[in-house]
Amino acid sequence: MKIVKILCMSSLLISTSAMAFSTKVEKPAVVKGTSIGKYAKPGAPADISYKSQHVKIGDTSNVNIILTSSSTTGTMKVKVKVDKDLHEISNVKKHFSFDLSEGKKEYPLHLEVSADEDGLYYVRIQVAIKGQGMRAFAVPVYVGEAVLKTKKTAVEKTDKGETISVSAAEETITKE
Amino acid sequence: MRLKIFNTFALTLLLSGCGGGGSSTDAVIDTPTVDTPTIPSTGSVTMSGTVTYDLVPSNSNSIGLDYDNIRREAVKGVPIDAVNSSNQSVASTITDSSGYYSFSVPNNTQMKIRVSAKMLQTSTPSWDVKVLDNTNSNALYVMEGALSSSGTADSQRNLNAASGWGGTSYTSSRTAAPFAVLDNAYHAIQKVLSANANTVFPPLVMNWSINNVSVSGDTSLGQITTSHYSDGNLFILGDADSDTDEYDDHVVTHEWGHYYEDKFSRSDSIGGPHGSEDRLEIRVALGEGWGNAFSGMALDDPVYFDTLGIAQSQGFNFNVESGTSDSKGWYSESSIQRILYDVYDSNDDGSDILSLGFAPIHQVFTGAEKTTPAFTSIFTFITALKDENAGDADTIDKMLLSENIAQITDIYGTGRINRASDYPYHELTLGTPLAIVISNADGSYNKLSNRQYVKFTIASSGTYTIKVEQSNGTNSDPDFYVFDTAPFIMVDSSDGTEAGVEEKSVPLAAGDYLLDVSDYKNVLNAELTVTIN
């Protein structure tokens, strides 16, 4: 049975299966994903497919990216940004472009990265096609126990039991 | 006396609550009681104020955000609570359209003002919208002022949600973002209420987080694919220096437009990537053109913009009123967004001398479009609009023509001239083979030539064999989906993997049906024969 099913809303998404986050990574596990067939907000007619390796701390993760576009004319400009705590072993240009053509459908990229700490890292790709907009993609790189690196705001409960995330307001108090 | 307090109290309190020992940072904790001098309350005072958020506008060329011109925008229609030192709400109200609130509170009582990023009204018209952090226990975003005595006289407490921008990057909490996201829902709701003041809006959760990135996966990790709508939820990007959408108001409102389609109308769109120059499958073209046009209507601003990149300094835009495209036609979201916006707006330009406003559009989407026996498309929308506004039919036809769309006379769009060979509807007589062609000439999955629709009628209930077979080879992989048209619902499908053929016996009651035929392998020209026996 094929995965693709017709959906009645443009934005009902088929999510990839939940990622397993093991605390011990004995051997690289391949993480795959694609934007093809998924809802996309307005923007450049581009898609991404990727494979990256879930590796142990210090090990090299091979990240293979394929960009595609339904546009067959013009140029697709690409920018690559690697999370600051992710070491890039390969030396890939960070700004480059592809000439889009009728015969060529896939535009590949390969990076090698590693990290000194457990975490969920990202390689970010930005594409722009003149006259047709831009689009951002992120490729996850899982290292060790792949937890979110950003600090979360601790949550509280209101007196009605609602879970809230509290931020401080800028406040001006005037007493008469 | 005038005090300005940047409230760090809550943060301090929460950090101390985390303690040592590596406790989870997303654990739910109760706010501890704070010991404060207690003066018995013997009366009440009025506390009032204005609540705002930092709105970061786009640059004047609609490319990138303009952090040099942040302005304060009212936080409209949200709950305000006066919360005492025991975390009990002692007074509550709702801000008005200027962000103003006022309530009577106990005097001489320590309290803080809590502003919730939600809008709730239970009496008709009603709505229930919340902005939650999908990466942090689905917690509701709130901002709070400092605990301070209500005193013995009336007082004012004005609160602002800061953007967190530090000059070249975000350096502190992006408190304003959830309120910016919510403000788009406020405007969208107001636009719908302008057409029907008694609208009951089904609940909507707007999920926003600084962790929301452009990749599919686990939404609790922020892997939301992109900003999108799904089953009563909006997911909005917040990935700084890559793609944030909290201030891209047209992006958020476009997605709200999909919520509207889902809850108030009907969309048969199959989704997938789409762009301004794409020749799209007709259901997708209407859905995305609608989303773009509605963002212009709700915000009364025809310039759609989306910011991206380092420091949100890049981006792109298009104008749903005056834009143009090389691929005009009945399959173009750009053409459709311009037609819909021209029907709505009061600005005459070119062939647009129509100014119907939002109500007739709302009438079509919530009426005829919900029950149409055809797939939702510009054909169904325009047919209903002309039926309901007969005096404007000629003007509507002229507007269509300006987008290279020949006069629309029925819900199936019979009589296409532009790209007529890709016209998707076909009539099939049971027992008689029907030849159709599916191609990847315009791209894959959701483009114009990727799908063909077959109309057929079942005279008497029974089991019928539907077969789709390639006649020019076996390199394709046909699939089909069967839709009953009254009421309109998908009743069966067949998506096997056999090369060049798809066949299934399907029980069907008497009635009119549509078959949606596609090719999973998306080959260049798959010549297919459809038979139903």
Side-chain angles (χ1 to χ4, degrees):
Chain A
M1 181 66 73
K2 285 174 288 199
I3 294 171
V4 174
K5 299 285 184 188
I6 195 162
L7 299 174
C8 288
M9 268 305 298
S10 64
S11 41
L12 297 181
L13 298 176
I14 303 165
S15 295
T16 54
S17 58
M19 189 64 59
F21 300 103
S22 62
T23 54
K24 293 181 180 179
V25 183
E26 299 300 337
K27 61 181 181 180
V30 176
V31 178
K32 294 191 288 187
T34 183
S35 66
I36 295 172
K38 303 219 167 65
Y39 175 76
K41 65 177 177 175
D47 272 307
I48 191 171
S49 299
Y50 65 84
K51 292 179 183 176
S52 70
Q53 291 172 310
H54 184 169
V55 294
K56 290 185 283 189
I57 291 171
D59 283 0
T60 299
S61 174
N62 285 288
V63 181
N64 290 294
I65 297 167
I66 294 175
L67 295 169
T68 56
S69 175
S70 61
S71 183
T72 55
T73 58
T75 301
M76 178 162 62
K77 293 182 177 177
V78 181
K79 291 182 180 178
V80 179
K81 187 163 74 81
V82 176
D83 267 358
K84 63 181 175 59
D85 294 327
L86 199 58
H87 308 304
E88 189 190 347
I89 298 161
S90 52
N91 188 22
V92 172
K93 280 185 180 177
K94 298 299 177 290
H95 293 194
F96 53 92
S97 60
F98 293 116
D99 289 329
L100 301 170
S101 67
E102 192 77 53
K104 193 172 181 182
K105 299 290 184 187
E106 297 185 344
Y107 304 91
L109 279 167
H110 174 74
L111 292 90
E112 294 175 356
V113 293
S114 70
D116 299 331
E117 293 181 15
D118 288 336
L120 167 54
Y121 302 88
Y122 289 104
V123 175
R124 288 174 173 82
I125 309 287
Q126 178 184 301
V127 303
I129 301 175
K130 190 174 181 181
Q132 299 193 64
M134 303 170 69
R135 195 167 293 287
F137 300 109
V139 175
V141 177
Y142 299 89
V143 177
E145 190 174 2
V147 293
L148 273 175
K149 300 295 287 182
T150 50
K151 290 180 181 175
K152 292 181 181 179
T153 303
V155 297
E156 301 177 46
K157 290 278 192 186
T158 68
D159 57 345
K160 297 180 179 66
E162 191 164 34
T163 305
I164 56 174
S165 172
V166 182
S167 293
E170 293 177 342
E171 185 178 34
T172 304
I173 299 177
T174 306
K175 295 188 176 176
E176 295 174 357
Chain B
M1 183 170 62
R2 188 174 175 86
L3 303 171
K4 187 166 187 181
I5 302 169
F6 289 90
N7 180 15
T8 55
F9 171 79
L11 179 62
T12 307
L13 196 63
L14 297 174
L15 287 175
S16 64
C18 291
S23 62
S24 170
T25 55
D26 62 351
V28 176
I29 60 171
D30 292 318
T31 304
T33 301
V34 178
D35 290 327
T36 52
T38 301
I39 302 171
S41 174
T42 56
S44 63
V45 292
T46 297
M47 188 174 289
S48 61
T50 301
V51 183
T52 55
Y53 71 92
D54 282 354
L55 189 154
V56 186
S58 67
N59 286 307
S60 57
N61 62 0
S62 299
I63 294 176
L65 293 180
D66 182 1
Y67 291 98
D68 292 332
N69 284 293
I70 293 172
R71 67 174 187 269
R72 291 190 173 185
E73 185 71 24
V75 174
K76 311 168 190 78
V78 304
I80 304 292
D81 284 275
V83 179
N84 67 16
S85 55
S86 299
N87 194 35
Q88 301 295 311
S89 175
V90 295
S92 61
T93 188
I94 305 286
T95 59
D96 67 13
S97 60
S98 301
Y100 178 78
Y101 73 93
S102 176
F103 43 32
S104 180
V105 298
N107 64 5
N108 281 330
T109 303
Q110 291 284 324
M111 62 182 65
K112 61 186 176 185
I113 299 299
R114 175 182 292 158
V115 184
S116 298
K118 68 177 179 182
M119 296 185 293
L120 175 66
Q121 180 160 302
T122 54
S123 57
T124 303
S126 65
W127 49 80
D128 179 3
V129 187
K130 299 174 181 174
V131 186
L132 306 184
D133 184 347
N134 53 291
T135 68
N136 194 11
S137 304
N138 292 319
L140 173 74
Y141 286 102
V142 306
M143 69 168 168
E144 291 181 349
L147 268 177
S148 178
S149 173
S150 57
T152 56
D154 295 349
S155 63
Q156 287 190 326
R157 297 191 188 188
N158 297 327
L159 287 85
N160 181 61
S163 70
W165 187 250
T168 57
S169 65
Y170 287 113
T171 54
S172 59
S173 174
R174 289 155 63 182
T175 309
F179 295 99
V181 169
L182 187 67
D183 207 23
N184 293 293
Y186 178 88
H187 288 292
I189 288 171
Q190 295 304 312
K191 185 57 64 180
V192 174
L193 291 176
S194 73
N196 180 359
N198 294 316
T199 303
V200 174
F201 294 85
L204 173 67
V205 174
M206 306 177 88
N207 299 274
W208 176 87
S209 167
I210 61 170
N211 299 309
N212 283 357
V213 299
S214 304
V215 66
S216 297
D218 185 345
T219 57
S220 71
L221 295 174
Q223 297 171 333
I224 65 165
T225 308
T226 185
S227 293
H228 72 276
Y229 168 77
S230 176
D231 194 20
N233 286 263
L234 290 190
F235 291 88
I236 305 299
L237 290 168
D239 191 16
D241 294 329
S242 179
D243 196 355
T244 66
D245 282 338
E246 61 262 31
Y247 300 115
D248 296 345
D249 49 8
H250 286 75
V251 175
V252 179
T253 308
H254 172 113
E255 301 307 332
W256 196 96
H258 290 314
Y259 155 82
Y260 173 91
E261 285 182 297
D262 184 28
K263 300 299 185 186
F264 293 98
S265 184
R266 188 184 105 207
S267 173
D268 303 326
S269 174
I270 59 170
H274 58 96
S276 58
E277 294 293 344
D278 281 338
R279 292 175 175 82
L280 294 167
E281 188 269 350
I282 58 171
R283 297 169 293 187
V284 177
L286 178 67
E288 301 308 332
W290 156 251
N292 293 336
F294 180 71
S295 71
M297 297 174 197
L299 301 167
D300 279 319
D301 177 359
V303 180
Y304 179 109
F305 68 88
D306 188 0
T307 62
L308 301 94
I310 302 294
Q312 294 64 249
S313 60
Q314 299 172 289
F316 66 95
N317 63 76
F318 53 82
N319 192 314
V320 299
E321 159 83 328
S322 62
T324 188
S325 55
D326 296 330
S327 57
K328 290 179 177 178
W330 42 277
Y331 37 73
S332 163
E333 70 175 58
S334 297
S335 289
I336 291 171
Q337 72 204 23
R338 285 189 289 271
I339 291 166
L340 293 177
Y341 192 79
D342 280 346
V343 169
Y344 161 80
D345 79 332
S346 56
N347 178 39
D348 293 348
D349 62 319
S351 59
D352 167 25
I353 55 170
L354 202 58
S355 303
L356 294 182
F358 187 68
I361 295 171
H362 182 67
Q363 177 61 36
V364 170
F365 273 117
T366 58
E369 196 74 352
K370 285 177 76 170
T371 56
T372 182
F375 286 123
T376 54
S377 73
I378 189 65
F379 306 140
T380 55
F381 177 83
I382 291 295
T383 300
L385 187 72
K386 287 168 66 174
D387 285 349
E388 295 171 15
N389 301 272
D392 296 311
D394 288 345
T395 304
I396 293 170
D397 287 341
K398 286 174 185 169
M399 289 165 55
L400 295 175
L401 208 54
S402 72
E403 294 291 341
N404 292 348
I405 301 175
Q407 185 182 40
I408 293 172
T409 57
D410 64 37
I411 57 175
Y412 302 104
T414 307
R416 290 309 90 206
I417 297 172
N418 186 13
R419 291 289 293 257
S421 62
D422 291 304
Y423 175 65
Y425 282 105
H426 307 269
E427 300 255 10
L428 178 143
T429 302
L430 266 59
T432 303
L434 171 72
I436 60 173
V437 177
I438 287 176
S439 174
N440 67 1
D442 297 301
S444 60
Y445 183 63
N446 63 357
K447 303 305 184 293
L448 174 61
S449 47
N450 296 153
R451 290 169 186 271
Q452 296 286 290
Y453 317 129
V454 178
K455 294 189 282 181
F456 64 97
T457 299
I458 296 295
S460 56
S461 298
T463 299
Y464 293 83
T465 300
I466 301 173
K467 185 176 183 181
V468 180
E469 185 167 21
Q470 187 179 3
S471 59
N472 64 338
T474 56
N475 59 335
S476 71
D477 178 3
D479 294 327
F480 62 78
Y481 305 87
V482 187
F483 291 81
D484 191 344
T485 62
F488 198 94
I489 187 171
M490 189 175 76
V491 293
D492 217 320
S493 65
S494 188
D495 57 358
T497 57
E498 187 175 351
V501 67
E502 192 72 36
E503 182 173 353
K504 188 174 186 181
S505 293
V506 180
L508 297 172
D512 294 326
Y513 290 84
L514 280 172
L515 198 64
D516 170 6
V517 183
S518 58
D519 169 24
Y520 183 76
K521 289 190 176 173
N522 201 46
V523 302
L524 179 57
N525 279 302
E527 297 176 9
L528 306 174
T529 301
V530 183
T531 53
I532 302 177
N533 292 297

